[in-house]
Amino acid sequence: MEALLAFGAALLTLRLAGLLGGRWRERRETHLLAWSAGLVAYALGAAAIAAGAAAGWNEGSFRAYYLFGGLLTAALLGAGSLLLAGVRLAGPVALVYAGLAIGVAVAAPLDAPVEGTAIPEAQEHLALFPARILAIVGNVAGSLALIGVAVAGLRRRRLGNTLLLAGFVTAAAGSALAGLGAAPTAAFIAAGAGLLYAGISATR
């Protein structure tokens, strides 16, 4: 069940990323491109969960999950929100951060082998610096940006921003429960994907 939930979340989020990508090609608004990239990362992180739950975790699936789900999703979604609010510096900063995140996720040594079907805990496999520190910085900054911009825009886009907030909080709760196993996390990932889909679709 956990594999199906995560796979469904990946498909749904990829669909929304494609819609936003198409909207960006029409309007050339950079926040749409950042949101699309963030949702692609979310989808790939969910796909890594599905693969790990279905076939067992290994180093490749763990690194993919950590890169896309742990390092990039919140940071890129937050950058998109800042760009929507007119903070142009968010674009270059997000590009630099993404390059650094890719390098760390690919090159950081693992402290222990990755195995089993439950989502591996980062603290068991990665050192605090730089991998886990970078994830903390990216997630905190991205979360604050997304939540701050959504709250500030509640009066103008009440429904869309409320759904965005609900989706982001739900997805974050799933990440916090990762240590309990794939099943509860996959359910949160799927619910978060649905809420983000509805929220971004309602946010013009």
Side-chain angles (χ1 to χ4, degrees):
M1 178 61 71
E2 58 267 27
L4 290 175
L5 285 172
F7 184 67
L11 291 179
L12 179 64
T13 314
L14 276 178
R15 169 63 175 164
L16 179 55
L19 292 175
L20 289 179
R23 197 183 297 176
W24 170 76
R25 286 192 298 271
E26 295 174 359
R27 304 180 185 178
R28 295 297 174 178
E29 295 174 345
T30 53
H31 74 278
L32 295 173
L33 183 60
W35 273 350
S36 180
L39 289 168
V40 169
Y42 191 100
L44 292 174
I49 292 176
W57 286 87
N58 55 40
E59 180 177 339
S61 57
F62 172 69
R63 288 186 185 275
Y65 165 70
Y66 196 76
L67 171 62
F68 296 114
L71 291 171
L72 290 180
T73 295
L76 292 175
L77 291 175
S81 293
L82 289 176
L83 288 166
L84 176 64
V87 183
R88 296 184 178 180
L89 184 61
V93 170
L95 286 175
V96 172
Y97 172 84
L100 182 59
I102 292 170
V104 167
V106 170
L110 299 183
D111 295 335
V114 180
E115 55 190 7
T117 56
I119 295 179
E121 296 184 7
Q123 60 268 30
E124 294 183 358
H125 301 282
L126 293 167
L128 179 62
F129 183 85
R132 286 159 53 203
I133 287 292
L134 187 63
I136 291 170
V137 171
N139 278 280
V140 170
S143 299
L144 290 176
L146 189 147
I147 292 171
V149 172
V151 169
L154 278 177
R155 289 185 178 180
R156 289 176 292 136
R157 294 179 295 269
R158 184 176 298 275
L159 176 61
N161 283 315
T162 299
L163 290 169
L164 278 176
L165 284 170
F168 194 77
V169 169
T170 302
S175 296
L177 290 173
L180 298 179
T185 303
F188 275 93
I189 291 290
L195 289 167
L196 287 172
Y197 188 103
I200 292 181
S201 295
T203 303
R204 304 291 179 178

